[in-house]
Amino acid sequence: MQGERRAARCVSIPGMMRLTAYVVSLLTITVFSAACTQAGPDVAQVQPPAPGMTVEDGPSVRVLVTTDYGAETLVDVHVPLEDGMSAMQVLQSVATVGTAYGGGFVQSINGIGSQRESRTDWFYAVNGVLSNRGAADHALAVGDVEHWDYRTWGFRRQVSATLGCFPAFLTNGFRGAVRATVVAFETPYADEAEAIASALRERGVSELGVVDLAQLPEPWKGERNLVLVAGPGHGMVREVYERWDRLGLYALLREGSITACTAAGEETVLTGSVGTLQPLQNPWNPSGIGACQNVVLLVSGTDAAGVRGAASLLPGAIEDMSAWCGALVRDGTAAPLPVRH
């Protein structure tokens, strides 16, 4: 993989355990993707209902279908949810779906199908987290967000979370399992952390704390959802960016600059005050990336102004960026990651 061509780094035994769990998860994702690229003998087309279907008050889920890392929206609708409905069944209720391998894998949506030559496939997330099971085996809960995105995966196939996990994953979790959330901040960003926490509470995140990073209990790093508000020099921020390629990120933050990538891996170096919002599954979780248990949102930047710019934009723009893999923030304006031409 192009995203893993950098030299290997020495890691501690706990770090090796996390990487091992990550590799297992990556293999699962790779198998899922590869299955979607091959047309099995049992491909079937499922016809959608008549257009104009609306949802009355009652239990529902949101279905979002996009292309190119959220660049274009094809479907965005709330669907009534019956007990036991799977992600596959819900998708089939609003789109024409081509399936393979006994109906377990999505081959195409509304005529857009997998392309082996260009390494383009359908990937799906629930509440902003790339699911670790097939859509036919993933039962949805009321309020879940099911997001399908048609994208290339040659440069970064292991994108583990999108900005859609805020706040959906914090309120609904994964298959009903919801962990507590903590907004952890470097001391200069206490006000920004409180504003983020207030916005999350307004959006239904109930079990939520705010703590200075100097006081963050060590077990919370791996156990909880984290919103990490800190500059590029903080140890936890550096730890993530030391493995930015392996963690599926499209921007590398350094003090004073950000190297931002397109979906194909073309790099652009940005300097000055630039903020960044980058979600991922929690890399400190002992179960590893891909466990679908908790998430981290890095709220950082090239300098203090960059951090504050990203933090101040987040509360009012959470929903607007829900289909993005991440964001760059400059002069009060957000741009998606990966970078678009």
Side-chain angles (χ1 to χ4, degrees):
M1 291 174 53
Q2 295 181 44
E4 304 218 355
R5 60 192 173 192
R6 303 179 190 275
R9 292 182 173 89
C10 294
V11 296
S12 63
I13 293 300
M16 184 63 73
M17 292 173 65
R18 288 195 297 270
L19 287 176
T20 300
Y22 159 74
V23 170
V24 171
S25 171
L26 177 56
L27 289 174
T28 301
I29 295 169
T30 304
V31 169
F32 175 81
S33 176
C36 290
T37 63
Q38 301 175 24
D42 51 353
V43 173
Q45 294 292 328
V46 181
Q47 295 300 319
M53 182 185 68
T54 60
V55 179
E56 303 297 334
D57 291 338
S60 67
V61 296
R62 180 187 178 193
V63 180
L64 178 63
V65 181
T66 63
T67 62
D68 300 321
Y69 298 88
E72 181 180 0
T73 300
L74 305 180
V75 177
D76 189 357
V77 63
H78 285 79
V79 180
L81 182 70
E82 299 176 6
D83 287 344
M85 286 185 73
S86 69
M88 180 72 78
Q89 290 172 319
V90 170
L91 177 66
Q92 289 172 338
S93 74
V94 297
T96 300
V97 182
T99 62
Y101 297 90
F105 298 103
V106 170
Q107 182 88 6
S108 64
I109 299 177
N110 289 348
I112 301 174
S114 301
Q115 300 291 331
R116 180 181 301 181
E117 295 78 9
S118 61
R119 295 185 175 183
T120 308
D121 265 309
W122 286 102
F123 290 81
Y124 91 101
V126 176
N127 299 329
V129 167
L130 188 71
S131 181
N132 58 7
R133 61 189 59 222
D137 297 321
H138 191 125
L140 296 180
V142 174
D144 279 351
V145 179
E146 176 182 350
H147 178 195
W148 291 84
D149 186 61
Y150 184 71
R151 61 179 182 249
T152 60
W153 48 265
F155 177 63
R156 290 278 192 270
R157 79 175 68 187
Q158 65 269 36
V159 174
S160 63
T162 69
L163 283 170
C165 57
F166 294 88
F169 191 84
L170 309 185
T171 57
N172 269 39
F174 189 80
R175 303 184 76 238
V178 183
R179 295 195 176 190
T181 298
V182 59
V183 181
F185 61 92
E186 274 192 300
T187 303
Y189 309 114
D191 291 343
E192 288 77 14
E194 289 289 353
I196 291 172
S198 177
L200 291 175
R201 291 189 186 101
E202 290 176 0
R203 288 164 173 79
V205 182
S206 56
E207 193 171 354
L208 175 67
V210 183
V211 62
D212 192 302
L213 276 165
Q215 306 299 322
L216 180 67
E218 185 66 24
W220 286 15
K221 287 174 57 178
E223 294 173 354
R224 302 198 174 198
N225 300 306
L226 300 177
V227 181
L228 181 58
V229 188
H234 189 274
M236 290 178 68
V237 175
R238 291 201 313 269
E239 192 174 340
V240 169
Y241 284 109
E242 285 172 357
R243 296 189 289 152
W244 75 297
D245 50 352
R246 295 176 182 270
L247 295 177
L249 302 181
Y250 279 93
L252 170 62
L253 173 66
R254 302 183 179 94
E255 193 161 359
S257 71
I258 291 179
T259 300
C261 297
T262 66
E266 299 167 347
E267 296 183 351
T268 299
V269 178
L270 305 174
T271 58
S273 294
V274 184
T276 184
L277 302 168
Q278 296 199 71
L280 66 159
Q281 291 193 44
N282 191 320
W284 296 286
N285 182 352
S287 297
I289 293 289
C292 301
Q293 294 175 342
N294 49 0
V295 293
V296 172
L297 175 61
L298 291 177
V299 183
S300 193
T302 55
D303 56 15
V307 177
R308 291 193 171 93
S312 63
L313 186 72
L314 180 62
I318 292 176
E319 287 82 4
D320 294 338
M321 300 183 291
S322 63
W324 296 1
C325 291
L328 298 175
V329 180
R330 176 176 259 173
D331 298 328
T333 301
L337 289 170
V339 174
R340 300 171 188 168
H341 289 299

